[in-house]
Amino acid sequence: MAADRKNLSDDELRKLLNLGDPAGYGDEPAPEELNAMRRTVLNSIDTSPAAQPWFSRSLTTAMATVAVALIAISILLQAGPWGEVLQPATGPVTPAEPAPPTTQEPPPSQTVAAVEEVPDVVVTEPSPDSAAELPAAAEESVVAEEPPALAAMEESQGLAAPSEGRQPRTVQFTAPGGTRIIWTLDPDFQLPVSEPDSQARGEL
Amino acid sequence: MQADPVERLGDLFDTHQPRLYRLARRLSRDPEEARDLVQETFLRAARRPASIPESAKGAEAWLVRILVNLCRDRWRRLKVRREAHHQPVWSMGNTADPESVASARSAVQRALNRLRPRTRAIVVMHEIEGQSKAEIAEFLGMSEVTVRWHVATGRSKLRKELSHGG
């Protein structure tokens, strides 16, 4: 045995490795052993969904999550308190056209003035002679009835008619696009007890 | 991909088992461990048949990577580091002598056992199986620079183990 080598060259090292190659022992598995191994492997093939590619599983999971989220959002929008708040927005936001003049004398509680030069926000204080303080032009274009959308809103919310003693306040303002918005604040407004934000809407 | 995963895996087994066994034998201590490694490699493939690359070369590389990773896991788990027995190992002039061959095999086996699994795999694939560094890099999914480093490190350790005379 030569034990005196201090440094093997690359070629010598390669020769030595090939000479002592562990795979050259002739100890390969017997055919019967290979067949048994093959059967074991093939019998353990996983065809469950977990064996599918990761992107396939992820896509299925993502689609299911999105579907559940959409259902939850739709349920919340229908059952939540904000659903009722948003509801009137489809009605009263209409271009403000000058109401046709009418000869009918409007009751003070339902007076809404259409003013040519409307400031951004006008708050009309309830007073017995508020109609008298309106400009003459406004008096000619007094709307006798509430806007249908407001009436529908009140009807849908079950609003009580304003009492005789307390008159409603009216807030008028013009949106940047020129839409005139008129709010009638009913002091006797009451929401059903079951509404969670009745206090907030009651202030309107 | 073939429609039947059983048929595909059967083909892969028939095609790549001999090569995988030789590699496993060079990466393991004994034939029994090599058989376990090969079977576990194909069992992993059976558990994830859809993950096997379509191409033949890609599938072979995928199986080789699994085998090398299994060797590494086993090496880490067992923390097997055989003590070196610095014995005289080899005589260049007696390669035909059965006793010298047996001695060389024993020495090479011991020296290979001293290498870390990945270095061992790369040295075996390069020095014994004759694969180029670029091929090994592609097979194992690493850079060629890393393969060169492993080859150099492995050669240095093997040279030290095999040359150290007592």
Side-chain angles (χ1 to χ4, degrees), chain A residues 115-138:
Chain A
V115 185
E116 288 296 327
E117 294 295 329
V118 180
D120 284 346
V121 176
V122 174
V123 177
T124 305
E125 291 293 333
S127 61
D129 53 350
S130 60
E133 294 177 3
L134 292 175

Side-chain angles (χ1 to χ4, degrees), chain B residues 10-30:
Chain B
D11 290 344
L12 287 175
F13 185 91
D14 296 337
T15 303
H16 299 297
Q17 179 275 328
R19 188 262 162 102
L20 287 178
Y21 176 77
R22 285 195 301 272
L23 179 59
R25 185 65 189 91
R26 289 161 179 154
L27 300 181
S28 60
R29 297 176 181 278
D30 51 58

Side-chain angles (χ1 to χ4, degrees), chain B residues 65-78:
Chain B
R65 278 200 294 271
I66 288 185
L67 178 63
V68 173
N69 288 336
L70 283 173
C71 291
R72 193 171 52 174
D73 294 345
R74 181 172 296 208
W75 184 84
R76 285 175 176 167
R77 189 169 59 248
L78 299 178

Side-chain angles (χ1 to χ4, degrees), chain B residues 52-71:
Chain B
I52 304 173
E54 297 288 334
S55 67
K57 192 170 181 65
E60 182 184 10
W62 190 83
L63 291 168
V64 167
R65 278 200 294 271
I66 288 185
L67 178 63
V68 173
N69 288 336
L70 283 173
C71 291

Side-chain angles (χ1 to χ4, degrees), chain A residues 70-80:
Chain A
L70 286 177
I71 292 172
I73 289 173
S74 63
I75 291 174
L76 286 175
L77 284 178
Q78 288 180 358

Side-chain angles (χ1 to χ4, degrees), chain B residues 27 36 46 81 117 126 146 157 159 162:
Chain B
L27 300 181
D36 289 347
R81 294 196 183 201
H126 182 63
T146 306
K157 289 186 176 178
R159 194 173 283 124
L162 295 171

Side-chain angles (χ1 to χ4, degrees), chain A residues 89-109:
Chain A
T90 59
V93 181
T94 55
E97 291 183 12
T102 177
T103 56
Q104 184 179 357
E105 188 69 18
S109 62

Side-chain angles (χ1 to χ4, degrees), chain A:
Chain A
M1 297 284 180
D4 54 348
R5 290 180 180 275
K6 294 301 178 187
N7 283 307
L8 293 169
S9 68
D10 286 349
D11 283 343
E12 289 172 335
L13 182 62
R14 189 172 295 114
K15 282 182 182 177
L16 179 56
L17 289 174
N18 281 280
L19 182 64
D21 182 6
Y25 292 4
D27 52 11
E28 290 83 8
E32 305 81 40
E33 203 172 358
L34 281 178
N35 285 333
M37 186 188 300
R38 194 178 191 277
R39 277 195 304 272
T40 303
V41 168
L42 297 185
N43 287 336
S44 65
I45 286 185
D46 188 0
T47 56
S48 66
Q52 298 302 316
W54 64 269
F55 51 84
S56 175
R57 298 197 305 269
S58 300
L59 184 62
T60 305
T61 306
M63 290 179 65
T65 305
V66 168
V68 170
L70 286 177
I71 292 172
I73 289 173
S74 63
I75 291 174
L76 286 175
L77 284 178
Q78 288 180 358
W82 48 83
E84 295 183 6
V85 173
L86 293 176
Q87 188 178 0
T90 59
V93 181
T94 55
E97 291 183 12
T102 177
T103 56
Q104 184 179 357
E105 188 69 18
S109 62
Q110 296 177 349
T111 299
V112 177
V115 185
E116 288 296 327
E117 294 295 329
V118 180
D120 284 346
V121 176
V122 174
V123 177
T124 305
E125 291 293 333
S127 61
D129 53 350
S130 60
E133 294 177 3
L134 292 175
E139 283 189 57
E140 294 177 0
S141 60
V142 165
V143 179
E145 297 178 358
E146 284 185 285
L150 272 178
M153 179 177 70
E154 289 188 359
E155 187 178 9
S156 68
Q157 294 180 349
L159 300 179
S163 64
E164 293 295 334
R166 304 174 64 186
Q167 297 184 4
R169 300 175 64 187
T170 302
V171 178
Q172 305 177 29
F173 59 93
T174 304
T179 302
R180 182 174 297 156
I181 299 174
I182 302 170
W183 287 352
T184 300
L185 309 181
D186 185 356
D188 295 330
F189 175 75
Q190 289 183 347
L191 280 178
V193 181
S194 61
E195 292 293 332
D197 57 344
S198 59
Q199 188 65 32
R201 279 212 309 274
E203 294 175 357
L204 294 178

